[in-house]
Amino acid sequence: MSARSSRRTTLSVMMIVRDEGDRIEASLQSVVGWASEIIVLDSGSTDGTIDIVSRYTDKLWVTDWPGYGPQRNRALNHCSGDWVLSIDADEVVTPELRDEIDRVLDESGCDFTVLKMPWKTFLFGRPLKHGRYTSPQAKLFRREGARYRDHQVHESLMMPRRKERVLNAPLEHYSWRNYQHVQEKHLKYGCLLAAQKFANGRRGSLAYAALRFGIDFLQQYLVRGGFLDGSRGFLMAVILGQYAFHKYAALWALEAENTMSSRKP
């Protein structure tokens, strides 16, 4: 259990979850007793997640699933702290990160509205040190006026005034349970993004999908230094290339399906 913080400001931790019973406890243990409150919205877990969460907080709501952006906004509406830390069930706040957050939030004249923290993302037991999954994440922000875009996936944080600071201590990120999970997760997100693009009038082609596979692979593996992570870096570059392919192939498929439907008598 986390040591209780002497921080002068109040801090809400919020989480949106579903069927995370195998890993949510480590995340909750990393913030209980340190956060001023823990807000959890569950969208229909059937694996014991709700029972686990109930041991750590009474601020738990079971809801439907409107998409990532709307669900985060629902959780945000329940938060009362001066600051909000939005984490997922696969993320763990280390003691070093807690201490750094406490120090920064108590600095006199602190006028930052967003605190970003590096991701320490683990792939098959070892952390990736290069590439997309090490980029600092805007997880901690002043609550007043903050909202998320109502996107189904990859929802971005909107602030009335945005001034960022990047922390040094990383947030541990255990995103994938196994190889099947990493593939399923990227395919799911790719299809959600395709639907979002299609609804906004975007169209795709298989040629562009194939081109994006190559571009995104090279971006991750060479430009962002993924090759320095050895076999894991190569695998991650392939996965991100596949992710880009999924997005635009799914977009092409939606257009094809729509054309077929319109031709039916």
Side-chain angles (χ1 to χ4, degrees):
M1 181 177 291
S2 303
R4 185 160 298 278
S5 173
S6 59
R7 185 186 56 252
R8 294 191 300 272
T9 54
T10 54
L11 173 65
S12 301
V13 168
M14 74 177 205
M15 306 173 70
I16 59 172
V17 303
R18 181 178 180 180
D19 290 336
E20 297 284 1
D22 60 329
R23 56 186 183 174
I24 193 172
E25 193 150 22
S27 185
L28 291 166
Q29 287 175 345
S30 75
V31 296
V32 69
W34 171 72
S36 306
E37 62 179 2
I38 301 174
I39 307 293
V40 180
L41 266 65
D42 184 285
S43 55
S45 291
T46 59
D47 68 342
T49 296
I50 293 173
D51 292 335
I52 295 171
V53 172
S54 297
R55 297 202 294 266
Y56 291 88
T57 180
D58 58 358
K59 296 187 176 182
L60 165 67
W61 288 266
V62 178
T63 74
D64 61 350
W65 178 249
Y68 285 93
Q71 188 76 331
R72 289 199 195 279
N73 282 327
R74 283 177 174 177
L76 187 54
N77 288 337
H78 289 292
C79 295
S80 62
D82 302 319
W83 289 81
V84 175
L85 176 62
S86 176
I87 60 173
D88 296 323
D90 58 8
E91 295 173 326
V92 174
V93 182
T94 63
E96 295 76 18
L97 181 55
R98 291 195 301 265
D99 290 345
E100 185 175 8
I101 289 172
D102 286 347
R103 289 195 306 271
V104 171
L105 295 189
D106 273 353
E107 286 179 358
S108 60
C110 175
D111 65 343
F112 299 97
T113 61
V114 177
L115 295 178
K116 301 175 78 170
M117 53 203 68
W119 249 352
K120 187 176 183 179
T121 299
F122 288 80
L123 179 64
F124 302 121
R126 294 183 185 176
L128 298 170
K129 297 180 180 179
H130 306 276
R132 182 182 302 181
Y133 281 101
T134 62
S135 301
Q137 301 296 304
K139 293 282 188 176
L140 180 59
F141 52 90
R142 287 190 182 274
R143 178 176 59 86
E144 186 175 0
R147 298 293 293 173
Y148 286 92
R149 294 190 185 278
D150 285 331
H151 289 174
Q152 288 297 302
V153 66
H154 290 338
E155 63 290 358
S156 55
L157 177 67
M158 300 182 294
M159 301 289 294
R161 184 180 72 87
R162 193 176 186 111
K163 184 175 181 181
E164 298 180 351
R165 174 169 172 175
V166 180
L167 302 177
N168 294 312
L171 178 69
E172 292 186 352
H173 184 212
Y174 301 88
S175 187
W176 311 291
R177 296 176 173 93
N178 50 43
Y179 183 75
Q180 179 176 333
H181 186 221
V182 69
Q183 290 289 356
E184 289 174 346
K185 194 169 183 178
H186 283 89
L187 177 59
K188 174 186 174 182
Y189 285 1
C191 290
L192 286 171
L193 278 169
Q196 190 170 285
K197 290 176 183 294
F198 188 78
N200 290 332
R202 296 281 299 278
R203 298 296 181 263
S205 70
L206 290 181
Y208 185 68
L211 177 64
R212 281 299 301 264
F213 174 91
I215 290 173
D216 284 42
F217 170 83
L218 293 173
Q219 178 78 8
Q220 173 72 12
Y221 193 64
L222 296 179
V223 179
R224 295 186 174 182
F227 66 93
L228 296 171
D229 282 319
S231 58
R232 286 170 175 78
F234 176 78
L235 178 60
M236 194 74 254
V238 171
I239 289 168
L240 289 175
Q242 292 172 322
Y243 177 41
F245 179 85
H246 291 327
K247 281 188 287 188
Y248 293 98
L251 183 58
W252 172 85
L254 286 171
E255 183 178 2
E257 292 162 11
N258 186 64
T259 301
M260 289 174 59
S261 297
S262 66
R263 290 176 179 172
K264 289 181 179 179

PDB file of all heavy atoms in Angstrom, residues 95-120:
ATOM      1  N   PRO A  95       6.981   4.318  -6.546  1.00  0.00           N
ATOM      2  CA  PRO A  95       7.270   5.253  -5.449  1.00  0.00           C
ATOM      3  C   PRO A  95       8.039   6.481  -5.917  1.00  0.00           C
ATOM      4  O   PRO A  95       7.802   7.592  -5.425  1.00  0.00           O
ATOM      5  CB  PRO A  95       8.097   4.403  -4.479  1.00  0.00           C
ATOM      6  CG  PRO A  95       7.658   2.996  -4.741  1.00  0.00           C
ATOM      7  CD  PRO A  95       7.391   2.937  -6.220  1.00  0.00           C
ATOM      8  N   GLU A  96       8.970   6.294  -6.863  1.00  0.00           N
ATOM      9  CA  GLU A  96       9.743   7.427  -7.378  1.00  0.00           C
ATOM     10  C   GLU A  96       8.846   8.424  -8.099  1.00  0.00           C
ATOM     11  O   GLU A  96       9.020   9.650  -7.963  1.00  0.00           O
ATOM     12  CB  GLU A  96      10.827   6.924  -8.331  1.00  0.00           C
ATOM     13  CG  GLU A  96      11.901   6.066  -7.683  1.00  0.00           C
ATOM     14  CD  GLU A  96      11.457   4.651  -7.381  1.00  0.00           C
ATOM     15  OE1 GLU A  96      10.439   4.193  -7.962  1.00  0.00           O
ATOM     16  OE2 GLU A  96      12.125   3.976  -6.561  1.00  0.00           O
ATOM     17  N   LEU A  97       7.883   7.928  -8.851  1.00  0.00           N
ATOM     18  CA  LEU A  97       6.964   8.824  -9.552  1.00  0.00           C
ATOM     19  C   LEU A  97       6.033   9.521  -8.568  1.00  0.00           C
ATOM     20  O   LEU A  97       5.772  10.726  -8.705  1.00  0.00           O
ATOM     21  CB  LEU A  97       6.150   8.043 -10.589  1.00  0.00           C
ATOM     22  CG  LEU A  97       5.153   8.858 -11.419  1.00  0.00           C
ATOM     23  CD1 LEU A  97       5.825  10.024 -12.126  1.00  0.00           C
ATOM     24  CD2 LEU A  97       4.432   7.954 -12.425  1.00  0.00           C
ATOM     25  N   ARG A  98       5.552   8.815  -7.576  1.00  0.00           N
ATOM     26  CA  ARG A  98       4.705   9.456  -6.555  1.00  0.00           C
ATOM     27  C   ARG A  98       5.454  10.588  -5.875  1.00  0.00           C
ATOM     28  O   ARG A  98       4.918  11.692  -5.695  1.00  0.00           O
ATOM     29  CB  ARG A  98       4.249   8.426  -5.514  1.00  0.00           C
ATOM     30  CG  ARG A  98       3.267   7.401  -6.037  1.00  0.00           C
ATOM     31  CD  ARG A  98       2.578   6.663  -4.904  1.00  0.00           C
ATOM     32  NE  ARG A  98       3.517   5.970  -4.026  1.00  0.00           N
ATOM     33  CZ  ARG A  98       3.861   4.699  -4.143  1.00  0.00           C
ATOM     34  NH1 ARG A  98       3.362   3.967  -5.122  1.00  0.00           N
ATOM     35  NH2 ARG A  98       4.705   4.143  -3.290  1.00  0.00           N
ATOM     36  N   ASP A  99       6.694  10.340  -5.488  1.00  0.00           N
ATOM     37  CA  ASP A  99       7.488  11.368  -4.796  1.00  0.00           C
ATOM     38  C   ASP A  99       7.721  12.574  -5.692  1.00  0.00           C
ATOM     39  O   ASP A  99       7.633  13.725  -5.229  1.00  0.00           O
ATOM     40  CB  ASP A  99       8.835  10.779  -4.355  1.00  0.00           C
ATOM     41  CG  ASP A  99       8.694   9.778  -3.226  1.00  0.00           C
ATOM     42  OD1 ASP A  99       7.622   9.738  -2.590  1.00  0.00           O
ATOM     43  OD2 ASP A  99       9.661   9.022  -2.996  1.00  0.00           O
ATOM     44  N   GLU A 100       8.002  12.331  -6.971  1.00  0.00           N
ATOM     45  CA  GLU A 100       8.248  13.456  -7.873  1.00  0.00           C
ATOM     46  C   GLU A 100       6.973  14.275  -8.090  1.00  0.00           C
ATOM     47  O   GLU A 100       7.015  15.508  -8.111  1.00  0.00           O
ATOM     48  CB  GLU A 100       8.791  12.959  -9.210  1.00  0.00           C
ATOM     49  CG  GLU A 100       9.181  14.104 -10.138  1.00  0.00           C
ATOM     50  CD  GLU A 100       9.826  13.655 -11.427  1.00  0.00           C
ATOM     51  OE1 GLU A 100       9.856  12.434 -11.703  1.00  0.00           O
ATOM     52  OE2 GLU A 100      10.301  14.536 -12.185  1.00  0.00           O
ATOM     53  N   ILE A 101       5.850  13.593  -8.237  1.00  0.00           N
ATOM     54  CA  ILE A 101       4.577  14.306  -8.386  1.00  0.00           C
ATOM     55  C   ILE A 101       4.304  15.169  -7.161  1.00  0.00           C
ATOM     56  O   ILE A 101       3.917  16.345  -7.277  1.00  0.00           O
ATOM     57  CB  ILE A 101       3.427  13.313  -8.624  1.00  0.00           C
ATOM     58  CG1 ILE A 101       3.541  12.701 -10.025  1.00  0.00           C
ATOM     59  CG2 ILE A 101       2.071  13.993  -8.451  1.00  0.00           C
ATOM     60  CD1 ILE A 101       2.570  11.559 -10.281  1.00  0.00           C
ATOM     61  N   ASP A 102       4.507  14.614  -5.970  1.00  0.00           N
ATOM     62  CA  ASP A 102       4.286  15.386  -4.746  1.00  0.00           C
ATOM     63  C   ASP A 102       5.163  16.632  -4.698  1.00  0.00           C
ATOM     64  O   ASP A 102       4.707  17.718  -4.338  1.00  0.00           O
ATOM     65  CB  ASP A 102       4.560  14.512  -3.513  1.00  0.00           C
ATOM     66  CG  ASP A 102       3.459  13.495  -3.261  1.00  0.00           C
ATOM     67  OD1 ASP A 102       2.381  13.623  -3.873  1.00  0.00           O
ATOM     68  OD2 ASP A 102       3.685  12.570  -2.457  1.00  0.00           O
ATOM     69  N   ARG A 103       6.427  16.473  -5.066  1.00  0.00           N
ATOM     70  CA  ARG A 103       7.347  17.616  -5.032  1.00  0.00           C
ATOM     71  C   ARG A 103       6.921  18.700  -6.016  1.00  0.00           C
ATOM     72  O   ARG A 103       6.900  19.894  -5.677  1.00  0.00           O
ATOM     73  CB  ARG A 103       8.774  17.166  -5.349  1.00  0.00           C
ATOM     74  CG  ARG A 103       9.444  16.350  -4.266  1.00  0.00           C
ATOM     75  CD  ARG A 103      10.951  16.270  -4.502  1.00  0.00           C
ATOM     76  NE  ARG A 103      11.291  15.776  -5.832  1.00  0.00           N
ATOM     77  CZ  ARG A 103      11.450  14.487  -6.123  1.00  0.00           C
ATOM     78  NH1 ARG A 103      11.278  13.558  -5.191  1.00  0.00           N
ATOM     79  NH2 ARG A 103      11.794  14.124  -7.360  1.00  0.00           N
ATOM     80  N   VAL A 104       6.580  18.289  -7.223  1.00  0.00           N
ATOM     81  CA  VAL A 104       6.233  19.262  -8.264  1.00  0.00           C
ATOM     82  C   VAL A 104       4.933  19.979  -7.927  1.00  0.00           C
ATOM     83  O   VAL A 104       4.826  21.205  -8.080  1.00  0.00           O
ATOM     84  CB  VAL A 104       6.149  18.570  -9.632  1.00  0.00           C
ATOM     85  CG1 VAL A 104       5.571  19.517 -10.683  1.00  0.00           C
ATOM     86  CG2 VAL A 104       7.528  18.085 -10.071  1.00  0.00           C
ATOM     87  N   LEU A 105       3.935  19.250  -7.464  1.00  0.00           N
ATOM     88  CA  LEU A 105       2.650  19.884  -7.168  1.00  0.00           C
ATOM     89  C   LEU A 105       2.736  20.842  -5.979  1.00  0.00           C
ATOM     90  O   LEU A 105       1.918  21.766  -5.865  1.00  0.00           O
ATOM     91  CB  LEU A 105       1.574  18.825  -6.892  1.00  0.00           C
ATOM     92  CG  LEU A 105       1.194  17.923  -8.066  1.00  0.00           C
ATOM     93  CD1 LEU A 105      -0.024  17.073  -7.712  1.00  0.00           C
ATOM     94  CD2 LEU A 105       0.914  18.729  -9.325  1.00  0.00           C
ATOM     95  N   ASP A 106       3.729  20.646  -5.128  1.00  0.00           N
ATOM     96  CA  ASP A 106       3.887  21.530  -3.971  1.00  0.00           C
ATOM     97  C   ASP A 106       4.870  22.670  -4.213  1.00  0.00           C
ATOM     98  O   ASP A 106       5.141  23.458  -3.310  1.00  0.00           O
ATOM     99  CB  ASP A 106       4.344  20.721  -2.748  1.00  0.00           C
ATOM    100  CG  ASP A 106       3.152  20.128  -1.989  1.00  0.00           C
ATOM    101  OD1 ASP A 106       2.005  20.461  -2.356  1.00  0.00           O
ATOM    102  OD2 ASP A 106       3.377  19.346  -1.050  1.00  0.00           O
ATOM    103  N   GLU A 107       5.424  22.749  -5.419  1.00  0.00           N
ATOM    104  CA  GLU A 107       6.339  23.849  -5.711  1.00  0.00           C
ATOM    105  C   GLU A 107       5.596  25.189  -5.662  1.00  0.00           C
ATOM    106  O   GLU A 107       4.480  25.294  -6.167  1.00  0.00           O
ATOM    107  CB  GLU A 107       6.962  23.678  -7.101  1.00  0.00           C
ATOM    108  CG  GLU A 107       8.013  22.596  -7.175  1.00  0.00           C
ATOM    109  CD  GLU A 107       8.579  22.449  -8.580  1.00  0.00           C
ATOM    110  OE1 GLU A 107       8.106  23.189  -9.487  1.00  0.00           O
ATOM    111  OE2 GLU A 107       9.463  21.605  -8.774  1.00  0.00           O
ATOM    112  N   SER A 108       6.211  26.177  -5.074  1.00  0.00           N
ATOM    113  CA  SER A 108       5.597  27.500  -5.032  1.00  0.00           C
ATOM    114  C   SER A 108       5.581  28.096  -6.442  1.00  0.00           C
ATOM    115  O   SER A 108       6.550  27.981  -7.186  1.00  0.00           O
ATOM    116  CB  SER A 108       6.366  28.425  -4.089  1.00  0.00           C
ATOM    117  OG  SER A 108       7.706  28.574  -4.512  1.00  0.00           O
ATOM    118  N   GLY A 109       4.460  28.706  -6.788  1.00  0.00           N
ATOM    119  CA  GLY A 109       4.341  29.324  -8.097  1.00  0.00           C
ATOM    120  C   GLY A 109       4.207  28.339  -9.242  1.00  0.00           C
ATOM    121  O   GLY A 109       4.448  28.699 -10.394  1.00  0.00           O
ATOM    122  N   CYS A 110       3.837  27.097  -8.965  1.00  0.00           N
ATOM    123  CA  CYS A 110       3.662  26.089 -10.020  1.00  0.00           C
ATOM    124  C   CYS A 110       2.510  26.517 -10.935  1.00  0.00           C
ATOM    125  O   CYS A 110       1.366  26.590 -10.492  1.00  0.00           O
ATOM    126  CB  CYS A 110       3.363  24.725  -9.404  1.00  0.00           C
ATOM    127  SG  CYS A 110       2.983  23.439 -10.611  1.00  0.00           S
ATOM    128  N   ASP A 111       2.823  26.838 -12.182  1.00  0.00           N
ATOM    129  CA  ASP A 111       1.775  27.289 -13.100  1.00  0.00           C
ATOM    130  C   ASP A 111       1.560  26.324 -14.257  1.00  0.00           C
ATOM    131  O   ASP A 111       0.926  26.660 -15.253  1.00  0.00           O
ATOM    132  CB  ASP A 111       2.091  28.688 -13.632  1.00  0.00           C
ATOM    133  CG  ASP A 111       3.359  28.716 -14.490  1.00  0.00           C
ATOM    134  OD1 ASP A 111       4.140  27.746 -14.403  1.00  0.00           O
ATOM    135  OD2 ASP A 111       3.558  29.704 -15.221  1.00  0.00           O
ATOM    136  N   PHE A 112       2.083  25.119 -14.144  1.00  0.00           N
ATOM    137  CA  PHE A 112       1.852  24.109 -15.166  1.00  0.00           C
ATOM    138  C   PHE A 112       0.427  23.573 -15.050  1.00  0.00           C
ATOM    139  O   PHE A 112      -0.131  23.496 -13.953  1.00  0.00           O
ATOM    140  CB  PHE A 112       2.851  22.961 -15.027  1.00  0.00           C
ATOM    141  CG  PHE A 112       4.276  23.394 -15.189  1.00  0.00           C
ATOM    142  CD1 PHE A 112       5.074  23.663 -14.085  1.00  0.00           C
ATOM    143  CD2 PHE A 112       4.816  23.553 -16.447  1.00  0.00           C
ATOM    144  CE1 PHE A 112       6.383  24.073 -14.231  1.00  0.00           C
ATOM    145  CE2 PHE A 112       6.130  23.968 -16.616  1.00  0.00           C
ATOM    146  CZ  PHE A 112       6.909  24.230 -15.497  1.00  0.00           C
ATOM    147  N   THR A 113      -0.162  23.216 -16.175  1.00  0.00           N
ATOM    148  CA  THR A 113      -1.503  22.635 -16.158  1.00  0.00           C
ATOM    149  C   THR A 113      -1.501  21.166 -16.558  1.00  0.00           C
ATOM    150  O   THR A 113      -2.483  20.466 -16.319  1.00  0.00           O
ATOM    151  CB  THR A 113      -2.443  23.406 -17.105  1.00  0.00           C
ATOM    152  OG1 THR A 113      -1.943  23.319 -18.450  1.00  0.00           O
ATOM    153  CG2 THR A 113      -2.544  24.869 -16.690  1.00  0.00           C
ATOM    154  N   VAL A 114      -0.420  20.704 -17.186  1.00  0.00           N
ATOM    155  CA  VAL A 114      -0.299  19.304 -17.596  1.00  0.00           C
ATOM    156  C   VAL A 114       1.091  18.807 -17.242  1.00  0.00           C
ATOM    157  O   VAL A 114       2.093  19.446 -17.578  1.00  0.00           O
ATOM    158  CB  VAL A 114      -0.528  19.132 -19.111  1.00  0.00           C
ATOM    159  CG1 VAL A 114      -0.319  17.679 -19.514  1.00  0.00           C
ATOM    160  CG2 VAL A 114      -1.924  19.591 -19.517  1.00  0.00           C
ATOM    161  N   LEU A 115       1.155  17.678 -16.554  1.00  0.00           N
ATOM    162  CA  LEU A 115       2.432  17.033 -16.254  1.00  0.00           C
ATOM    163  C   LEU A 115       2.492  15.722 -17.027  1.00  0.00           C
ATOM    164  O   LEU A 115       1.630  14.851 -16.860  1.00  0.00           O
ATOM    165  CB  LEU A 115       2.565  16.767 -14.756  1.00  0.00           C
ATOM    166  CG  LEU A 115       2.624  18.019 -13.863  1.00  0.00           C
ATOM    167  CD1 LEU A 115       2.693  17.628 -12.396  1.00  0.00           C
ATOM    168  CD2 LEU A 115       3.816  18.888 -14.235  1.00  0.00           C
ATOM    169  N   LYS A 116       3.490  15.603 -17.897  1.00  0.00           N
ATOM    170  CA  LYS A 116       3.668  14.403 -18.702  1.00  0.00           C
ATOM    171  C   LYS A 116       4.724  13.517 -18.052  1.00  0.00           C
ATOM    172  O   LYS A 116       5.646  14.012 -17.412  1.00  0.00           O
ATOM    173  CB  LYS A 116       4.082  14.778 -20.128  1.00  0.00           C
ATOM    174  CG  LYS A 116       3.071  15.672 -20.830  1.00  0.00           C
ATOM    175  CD  LYS A 116       3.544  16.129 -22.188  1.00  0.00           C
ATOM    176  CE  LYS A 116       3.396  15.057 -23.222  1.00  0.00           C
ATOM    177  NZ  LYS A 116       3.641  15.567 -24.603  1.00  0.00           N
ATOM    178  N   MET A 117       4.566  12.237 -18.209  1.00  0.00           N
ATOM    179  CA  MET A 117       5.515  11.295 -17.609  1.00  0.00           C
ATOM    180  C   MET A 117       5.919  10.253 -18.635  1.00  0.00           C
ATOM    181  O   MET A 117       5.092   9.802 -19.430  1.00  0.00           O
ATOM    182  CB  MET A 117       4.894  10.630 -16.373  1.00  0.00           C
ATOM    183  CG  MET A 117       3.556   9.983 -16.601  1.00  0.00           C
ATOM    184  SD  MET A 117       2.576   9.819 -15.075  1.00  0.00           S
ATOM    185  CE  MET A 117       2.197  11.535 -14.702  1.00  0.00           C
ATOM    186  N   PRO A 118       7.205   9.881 -18.666  1.00  0.00           N
ATOM    187  CA  PRO A 118       7.645   8.855 -19.618  1.00  0.00           C
ATOM    188  C   PRO A 118       6.936   7.534 -19.344  1.00  0.00           C
ATOM    189  O   PRO A 118       6.628   7.202 -18.194  1.00  0.00           O
ATOM    190  CB  PRO A 118       9.148   8.740 -19.343  1.00  0.00           C
ATOM    191  CG  PRO A 118       9.517   9.994 -18.611  1.00  0.00           C
ATOM    192  CD  PRO A 118       8.303  10.394 -17.833  1.00  0.00           C
ATOM    193  N   TRP A 119       6.677   6.811 -20.407  1.00  0.00           N
ATOM    194  CA  TRP A 119       6.160   5.448 -20.295  1.00  0.00           C
ATOM    195  C   TRP A 119       7.317   4.480 -20.214  1.00  0.00           C
ATOM    196  O   TRP A 119       8.251   4.543 -21.020  1.00  0.00           O
ATOM    197  CB  TRP A 119       5.351   5.116 -21.529  1.00  0.00           C
ATOM    198  CG  TRP A 119       3.880   4.975 -21.331  1.00  0.00           C
ATOM    199  CD1 TRP A 119       3.179   4.952 -20.172  1.00  0.00           C
ATOM    200  CD2 TRP A 119       2.918   4.817 -22.379  1.00  0.00           C
ATOM    201  NE1 TRP A 119       1.842   4.809 -20.416  1.00  0.00           N
ATOM    202  CE2 TRP A 119       1.658   4.717 -21.759  1.00  0.00           C
ATOM    203  CE3 TRP A 119       3.014   4.749 -23.765  1.00  0.00           C
ATOM    204  CZ2 TRP A 119       0.493   4.552 -22.500  1.00  0.00           C
ATOM    205  CZ3 TRP A 119       1.848   4.590 -24.495  1.00  0.00           C
ATOM    206  CH2 TRP A 119       0.600   4.489 -23.866  1.00  0.00           C
ATOM    207  N   LYS A 120       7.260   3.570 -19.268  1.00  0.00           N
ATOM    208  CA  LYS A 120       8.192   2.451 -19.229  1.00  0.00           C
ATOM    209  C   LYS A 120       7.376   1.218 -19.591  1.00  0.00           C
ATOM    210  O   LYS A 120       6.815   0.544 -18.728  1.00  0.00           O
ATOM    211  CB  LYS A 120       8.838   2.314 -17.849  1.00  0.00           C
ATOM    212  CG  LYS A 120       9.954   1.277 -17.775  1.00  0.00           C
ATOM    213  CD  LYS A 120      10.610   1.280 -16.405  1.00  0.00           C
ATOM    214  CE  LYS A 120      11.776   0.303 -16.345  1.00  0.00           C
ATOM    215  NZ  LYS A 120      12.431   0.319 -15.004  1.00  0.00           N
TER     216      LYS A 120
END
